[in-house]
Amino acid sequence: MAFACGKVLLLGEHAVVYGEPALAAGLSVGVTANATPGPARLSAPAWSVDVTAADGSRVGAAFAALLEALPVPAATVILDAAVPAGAGLGSSAAMAIATARALAELAGSPLDDDVLFEAGMASERVFHGTPSGLDHAVAMHGGLTRFVRAKNGGRPDRTAVALPSALHLVVAQAAPGADTGAMVAGVAERRVADPVVARSIPAIGDLTRAAMAAAERGDIAALADAMNHNHVLLQRIGVSTAALDDAVQRARDAGALAAKLTGAGGGGCIVALLDGPSDAVVDALTPTCQFVLDAHVGTP
Ligand code: PMV
């Protein structure tokens, strides 16, 4: 059995497009893979996926790209996926990393990190064209990651953010995910037209820097404060929706220290930060959300 983490952005989405840092968390919930000898086949019953590397499907093409990049033989892989697909939680990256690890486990030859990362990149290219590499770096390593986008074709900057104590999170899908490209394009238009939007981008960067410093010194209250303010700025740049705002409010009313939309917005997920495991927040979100994950920041 091999595991890879799902991902959630704690702060910095959209501003990261303009060179500001983002803070991502690897979830204790993700994708578990089991490989057995047999034909090259990939199944994920939770996502209604059952493909071969040659069937012409997109998941099949990603599987083929992964197999080609791996120095171990193909096999039959069954995935237990605990994150929803297409909700901005890094499902495709967790799929690639868990699959690669399961195949390596079956072959009895552990993969070196660079090989695993490049194989993840090959698979992610099939889904995302020019992926930043953030999702599968988080899927591989878990924990908290500071991420700054690559400048002028260079390498993105990814650094681990030390976390002195566990962070308890609840992630909930408030509505179907919107198209990330369209959401990013909308912010780009509003940023030119509206000085309030333009000013919000560096302000999100400042909050993200403050949040990383707070996380490193174990100051959960300051981290929560930064996340709550980040949601206000995401509303200001026009990427929140009534369903996301409602879920954020429900989580806070049920006792979450912080709650904000996570990812591209326009639909999709919220993330709530709690001061310990709490059924109240899960119960408050369950009636209106399609998916509620009770998680902590985890490692594979
Ligand atoms: O929803 P996700 O996890 O794909 O995140 C999108 C994050 C954005 O900052 C909105 C876009 C990007 O490419 O960084």
Side-chain angles (χ1 to χ4, degrees):
M1 288 288 197
F3 175 73
C5 298
K7 166 225 77 178
V8 71
L9 281 170
L10 293 185
L11 288 104
E13 48 276 271
H14 287 289
V16 71
V17 173
Y18 301 95
E20 301 291 349
L23 180 61
L27 297 172
S28 53
V29 171
V31 174
T32 305
N34 190 30
T36 49
R41 184 171 202 104
L42 181 67
S43 312
W47 298 334
S48 303
V49 161
D50 186 15
V51 300
T52 68
D55 67 4
S57 67
R58 208 144 77 120
V59 180
F63 185 39
L66 185 77
L67 291 173
E68 199 174 336
L70 288 174
V72 294
T76 298
V77 179
I78 299 182
L79 304 180
D80 179 3
V83 283
L89 301 181
S91 57
S92 59
M95 171 178 85
I97 298 302
T99 300
R101 284 185 169 146
L103 290 169
E105 212 172 75
L106 179 66
S109 51
L111 296 173
D112 132 339
D113 267 7
D114 288 346
V115 172
L116 182 58
F117 185 84
E118 286 310 320
M121 200 72 170
S123 175
E124 284 288 271
R125 271 191 206 105
V126 174
F127 292 107
H128 304 299
T130 49
S132 65
L134 173 65
D135 284 12
H136 61 280
V138 172
M140 282 170 65
H141 303 295
L144 290 185
T145 301
R146 171 189 186 273
F147 180 80
V148 180
R149 206 185 154 102
K151 283 194 200 84
N152 309 322
R155 287 178 78 85
D157 178 18
R158 286 184 304 271
T159 29
V161 174
L163 194 59
S165 56
L167 287 184
H168 296 272
L169 304 173
V170 169
V171 180
Q173 187 172 4
D179 178 66
T180 298
M183 296 308 294
V184 169
V187 172
E189 274 172 30
R190 291 189 289 279
R191 180 169 167 264
V192 172
D194 182 349
V196 172
V197 175
R199 280 199 298 273
S200 299
I201 301 290
I204 291 174
D206 290 342
L207 283 176
T208 307
R209 282 181 280 273
M212 290 186 294
E216 283 194 316
R217 62 175 193 271
D219 186 347
I220 304 302
L223 173 61
D225 203 37
M227 288 174 65
N228 283 327
H229 275 106
N230 194 168
H231 187 70
V232 174
L233 293 174
L234 288 163
Q235 289 173 315
R236 219 167 267 172
I237 67 173
V239 298
S240 195
T241 64
L244 288 166
D245 289 345
D246 174 68
V248 162
Q249 199 54 52
R250 280 167 179 271
R252 290 181 190 159
D253 289 349
L257 300 176
K260 62 179 279 290
L261 76 82
T262 179
C269 292
I270 67 144
V271 58
L273 175 66
L274 317 185
D275 54 6
S278 158
D279 292 344
V281 173
V282 172
D283 292 348
L285 292 167
T286 301
T288 56
C289 291
Q290 301 163 21
F291 235 102
V292 182
L293 303 174
D294 195 354
H296 54 270
V297 176
T299 47

